[in-house]
Amino acid sequence: MANINGIRVFVKDEQFSHSAEVTKHKVEKGLPLTDNVQRNASTITIKGEIVGSNASNDINTFRGYMEDAVLIYYVGRNYTLGNYVITNFETSHPNTIWGGCSFTMTMQEVRFAKSSYLRKETASTAKVTNASKAQLADVTTTATTNQSVKSTSDTGTKSVVGGEKTKEQKDSENRTNINASYVKMGYKCIWYTCKKGDTIYTLFGKSNAPFKKYKDVGRYGFGNDWTNEKIRAVNKSSMSDNKTFIAGKRIIVGYEKG
């Protein structure tokens, strides 16, 4: 058995591929000269079977992982891999397999670039930076002395009175404003606790997504107003990237008449 982002599948074969590119410069005599060797991204191709009562959902989940470029954590017979994405997923449904399918999946190693931009600090920006540090020190001292700290009920984060708003606070305010607009129309929010591997596609997009109904046009009287952008805006602090939710986080999945 193997494990792909928490989903168990039966794997019969693992084919791991390493390769590299070598530069070649022709010379008049002898072998070409080489001045650089660059490793290519590793790939692994697995073959096996997806069976069981949840086989159909698992197949759709893997398709969603590929379409949404979700990072894969794979624990197999011989390899444990992270930072891979699915580049190919094929299924076959022979009469020898009941309630499932055989499959072939190829996953490729990925690496994300970091920004090469560095801000050049001038005398004016240095003054602003130092002033900001001094202001932060004053705010921290005031909060420690007066215990002037309040908690937000939704996110559990803390804000210092008089200080600059944190990212979590801004996200919470954005959520509150959107909620208020729906409450005025007589709707209440529906909550869900995320599991590992949950994405906008698996929860709202695919054909059998559990919360797809909240995006159906006209179902609850406000058309297709519950867009992916609204979902991201309301649950921004509970997402690890633009598509994936953080396991254990509580998110708003839709609204219903109160």
Side-chain angles (χ1 to χ4, degrees):
M1 297 296 288
N3 190 304
I4 304 174
N5 278 15
I7 299 175
R8 296 179 67 83
V9 296
F10 174 65
V11 172
K12 295 188 291 185
D13 183 40
E14 292 178 335
Q15 297 177 357
F16 202 79
S17 175
H18 300 279
S19 65
E21 293 182 3
V22 180
T23 59
K24 296 179 181 180
H25 302 282
K26 293 182 178 180
V27 293
E28 292 182 0
K29 186 177 181 180
L31 293 174
L33 295 178
T34 297
D35 61 6
N36 183 53
V37 178
Q38 182 176 350
R39 183 177 77 86
N40 291 326
S42 300
T43 62
I44 183 171
T45 299
I46 60 176
K47 298 179 181 180
E49 297 175 359
I50 301 173
V51 294
S53 58
N54 204 40
S56 178
N57 288 335
D58 292 343
I59 293 170
N60 288 330
T61 298
F62 291 144
R63 287 173 181 163
Y65 286 166
M66 181 176 64
E67 293 173 4
D68 291 346
V70 175
L71 287 179
I72 299 299
Y73 184 75
Y74 174 75
V75 180
R77 297 167 56 210
N78 303 296
Y79 301 98
T80 299
L81 308 171
N83 284 342
Y84 278 66
V85 294
I86 299 173
T87 57
N88 185 61
F89 180 55
E90 300 176 2
T91 59
S92 177
H93 303 264
N95 59 4
T96 55
I97 299 177
W98 180 260
C101 69
S102 61
F103 76 95
T104 300
M105 179 186 295
T106 300
M107 293 175 284
Q108 180 175 307
E109 179 185 17
V110 293
R111 185 178 68 172
F112 299 100
K114 295 182 179 179
S115 174
S116 60
Y117 172 77
L118 295 175
R119 186 180 66 177
K120 184 176 180 181
E121 187 173 280
T122 62
S124 58
T125 57
K127 290 180 181 179
V128 172
T129 302
N130 292 333
S132 299
K133 290 180 179 178
Q135 182 182 11
L136 179 60
D138 291 341
V139 171
T140 305
T141 303
T142 303
T144 304
T145 305
N146 301 329
Q147 296 298 311
S148 176
V149 177
K150 62 180 179 180
S151 299
T152 59
S153 59
D154 187 23
T155 62
T157 57
K158 293 183 177 180
S159 59
V160 180
V161 175
E164 209 173 285
K165 292 180 180 178
T166 64
K167 176 180 176 297
E168 288 78 10
Q169 286 178 293
K170 292 177 181 178
D171 291 343
S172 178
E173 287 184 0
N174 194 19
R175 173 185 295 191
T176 300
N177 292 335
I178 294 176
N179 280 345
S181 65
Y182 282 107
V183 169
K184 287 181 181 178
M185 294 188 291
Y187 292 88
K188 64 178 181 180
C189 59
I190 307 301
W191 296 87
Y192 167 76
T193 301
C194 296
K195 299 176 182 177
K196 188 174 181 180
D198 281 343
T199 65
I200 288 181
Y201 175 80
T202 60
L203 294 182
F204 303 92
K206 64 180 184 178
S207 59
N208 61 342
F211 306 113
K212 185 179 179 65
K213 65 180 182 179
Y214 297 112
K215 297 188 69 177
D216 287 352
V217 177
R219 176 72 68 94
Y220 292 95
F222 49 88
N224 58 351
D225 190 44
W226 185 231
T227 60
N228 287 351
E229 288 69 28
K230 284 281 184 70
I231 294 170
R232 293 188 185 98
V234 170
N235 301 299
K236 191 173 182 180
S237 60
S238 300
M239 302 184 73
S240 58
D241 56 40
N242 204 35
K243 301 173 182 177
T244 310
F245 295 102
I246 301 172
K249 288 285 189 178
R250 193 164 172 255
I251 65 170
I252 295 175
V253 295
Y255 296 84
E256 288 183 344
K257 277 290 186 180

